Amino acid sequence: MDLHAMLKSCYFGDKELLNSEGQPIFGATYRAMRFGPVPLEIYEMAKGEALWLAETGVERFPWRLDGFRLQLAANSEPDLSVFSPADFAALEIGFERSRTMNFTERTAATHGADWQAAALGTMRYEDMLNDTPEKPATIAYLEQAAPIMRL
């Protein structure tokens, strides 16, 4: 899988769940980079950063990064128990959206108001929320939950 497509799948999925359930899937730190939002912790894991091997308690990841493509390197069974049915549904939506676009379309689709507000810095989850009557309550929840959000 193309790294850009994978990272944007995470973004689309996080944004989907954030707007439907009031919380993201991953709780990653998003950086507004030139070609769109990048979940930094997931990007580091995709690159095989040793710190994340220790953090996740594995000796190696079941993928390797060849250029900009993720390649399956092992066929171990992943632990999916941390994901709820809503997480899976949002991930599927994010993946389907990302995989049906080319690089240019994905980049354009991720340069919205949330990306622009970050000005190539750290994005804020509250900027990813749609304008709805629930937005203030969701922001209050996110402010309270932010220190314990999981990756």
Side-chain angles (χ1 to χ4, degrees):
M1 172 178 233
D2 176 88
L3 183 61
H4 189 260
M6 186 275 292
L7 294 172
K8 299 317 172 237
S9 292
C10 295
Y11 167 75
F12 289 139
D14 257 351
K15 192 169 179 177
E16 174 70 26
L17 194 69
L18 181 64
N19 281 284
S20 67
E21 302 293 325
Q23 64 185 34
I25 301 165
F26 301 107
T29 304
Y30 278 90
R31 181 70 174 263
M33 294 183 135
R34 181 174 173 208
F35 297 110
V38 173
L40 295 178
E41 297 87 347
I42 296 168
Y43 179 48
E44 291 169 354
M45 282 186 237
K47 294 187 304 182
E49 300 254 345
L51 174 67
W52 287 106
L53 289 171
E55 185 75 20
T56 57
V58 297
E59 291 184 31
R60 62 182 160 344
F61 291 119
W63 62 81
R64 69 177 183 277
L65 187 60
D66 291 333
F68 292 102
R69 300 201 62 77
L70 289 165
Q71 302 289 334
L72 186 62
N75 204 10
S76 57
E77 195 66 32
D79 176 12
L80 302 176
S81 66
V82 297
F83 295 108
S84 71
D87 291 339
F88 278 116
L91 278 171
E92 186 173 322
I93 289 167
F95 178 71
E96 284 301 311
R97 184 169 183 202
S98 183
R99 76 172 194 84
T100 60
M101 297 176 178
N102 64 33
F103 183 89
T104 303
E105 292 167 335
R106 278 191 305 270
T107 299
T110 58
H111 281 107
D114 54 348
W115 179 86
Q116 293 172 22
L120 297 179
T122 302
M123 295 175 67
R124 296 167 21 142
Y125 279 105
E126 67 186 65
D127 292 333
M128 294 181 195
L129 289 167
N130 297 331
D131 287 325
T132 65
E134 296 82 24
K135 186 174 180 176
T138 303
I139 290 170
Y141 167 76
L142 289 171
E143 288 172 345
Q144 184 178 26
I148 57 170
M149 280 189 180
R150 65 171 163 68
L151 174 66

